[in-house]
Amino acid sequence: MKLTKIILMAGFTTAFLTGCQKSTDTFDKDPEGCIELWADNLPELTDTTIYLKAEPSDFDGYFYYVSDIEFSPFKLLHSSYYEANKLNMGQGITYLNYLDFETAGYTNQSCISTANMQKKNYFFAQCNGDDYGMPARIDLTGSDRLYKGVSFYINNTTYVYNVIVNSDAAGRGYFKEWTKNDLLQLHIIGENKTATRVISDTITVDLARGFTVINKWTRIDLSRLDSINSIRFVMTGTDTGDYGLSTPACFCFDGLKLLPL
């Protein structure tokens, strides 16, 4: 991972609710009055930088420092950890702005391409926390208001792409050789947490099906997610072992749009 600088930022709250009818994307008639979550709207990162934060008071008893990223009404679960005296991404969600389409290995969290997206920053989600720690989740806070999904963009990471295309030969090197029968899926789960935890619906996206692998920013319709106040991301696939999914459980996203109900 080519990081020249790491930012340690305090928690922040910023409102940036914009009408989707003013969006500059080319896809269509988003409902009037929806809100948008773009990484470019967050505090600016310097070149080749990832947002990380660690506070000793937030130590969770293992080696993760929990420090959620909050900007009303969005709250992204986020954690960092120390490895070899360096601060790294732990679990949950962060945002970054560097691009490295070639380097293999788990340290490269870059998206695999910039095709179809003109933004500078984007989000990175580590999705194996449901079984082994913190989930990758976005909560909508501040009121009892519920939301309906509209859309967002997703892309594979360079790490995942290399694991599938060349078994990550220059990285850790222990992944199986990918075949036409293999599958990697992202499950986008909309939840209503105001009473009992009720799953509203799940949208499943193929990040890779056989040798068809997402390698550009792809718009996903979220309209099936209705009356929700939380979105959780889970990944599953055919390459599994004793500890669950072997394929890296991470992806990139940006431009989340929701309609307040």
Side-chain angles (χ1 to χ4, degrees):
M1 179 163 54
K2 300 178 179 178
L3 298 186
T4 58
K5 185 180 293 185
I6 288 178
I7 295 181
L8 303 184
M9 302 173 68
F12 49 85
T13 301
T14 305
F16 54 92
L17 309 186
T18 60
C20 291
Q21 69 275 18
K22 298 180 181 179
S23 175
T24 58
D25 70 35
T26 59
F27 294 102
D28 0 275
K29 303 185 174 182
D30 293 317
E32 184 173 350
C34 67
I35 60 173
E36 303 184 21
L37 170 61
W38 292 96
D40 266 8
N41 290 101
L42 306 186
E44 185 175 357
L45 300 172
T46 57
D47 291 341
T48 61
T49 304
I50 182 171
Y51 168 87
L52 298 168
K53 180 192 172 191
E55 296 288 347
S57 60
D58 295 328
F59 187 61
D60 72 351
Y62 189 35
F63 55 85
Y64 290 104
Y65 292 81
V66 179
S67 51
D68 298 338
I69 306 171
E70 296 187 53
F71 33 92
S72 180
F74 302 100
K75 177 180 179 180
L76 283 66
L77 273 67
H78 169 76
S79 70
S80 308
Y81 72 95
Y82 285 105
E83 181 180 44
N85 297 319
K86 293 183 179 180
L87 193 62
N88 293 276
M89 176 59 186
Q91 295 178 343
I93 299 172
T94 190
Y95 70 103
L96 62 158
N97 66 4
Y98 70 91
L99 301 172
D100 179 353
F101 305 148
E102 298 179 0
T103 303
Y106 70 100
T107 58
N108 188 354
Q109 296 167 339
S110 169
C111 67
I112 188 56
S113 78
T114 57
N116 293 354
M117 185 71 83
Q118 301 300 317
K119 300 293 183 178
K120 180 180 178 182
N121 301 334
Y122 55 92
F123 294 97
F124 169 89
Q126 181 73 38
C127 302
N128 60 358
D130 272 44
D131 294 325
Y132 302 105
M134 172 184 287
R137 195 175 78 228
I138 300 173
D139 290 332
L140 293 144
T141 62
S143 72
D144 293 331
R145 169 170 277 179
L146 298 177
Y147 297 79
K148 180 178 176 62
V150 177
S151 65
F152 78 155
Y153 292 88
I154 64 169
N155 200 357
N156 272 309
T157 66
T158 301
Y159 181 27
V160 169
Y161 187 83
N162 281 327
V163 164
I164 292 173
V165 172
N166 64 15
S167 299
D168 201 40
R172 291 186 173 184
Y174 58 63
F175 300 101
K176 72 182 288 292
E177 184 176 352
W178 198 262
T179 74
K180 65 180 181 180
N181 298 318
D182 281 312
L183 179 67
L184 179 66
Q185 293 185 313
L186 169 66
H187 307 281
I188 307 160
I189 305 170
E191 298 175 333
N192 182 342
K193 297 168 55 181
T194 54
T196 56
R197 195 178 183 94
V198 178
I199 295 178
S200 299
D201 207 342
T202 299
I203 296 170
T204 297
V205 179
D206 292 343
L207 293 173
R209 178 177 287 273
F211 299 113
T212 302
V213 186
I214 287 180
N215 62 357
K216 61 184 178 181
W217 285 99
T218 303
R219 185 179 186 263
I220 305 299
D221 184 351
L222 301 180
S223 59
R224 285 178 54 196
L225 304 184
D226 198 8
S227 299
I228 63 171
N229 53 22
S230 183
I231 299 175
R232 184 163 54 95
F233 303 108
V234 175
M235 292 176 64
T236 60
T238 51
D239 186 6
T240 60
D242 294 339
Y243 299 98
L245 184 65
S246 297
T247 312
C250 52
F251 76 104
C252 298
F253 73 92
D254 203 7
L256 173 64
K257 299 179 183 180
L258 302 172
L259 178 66
L261 300 178

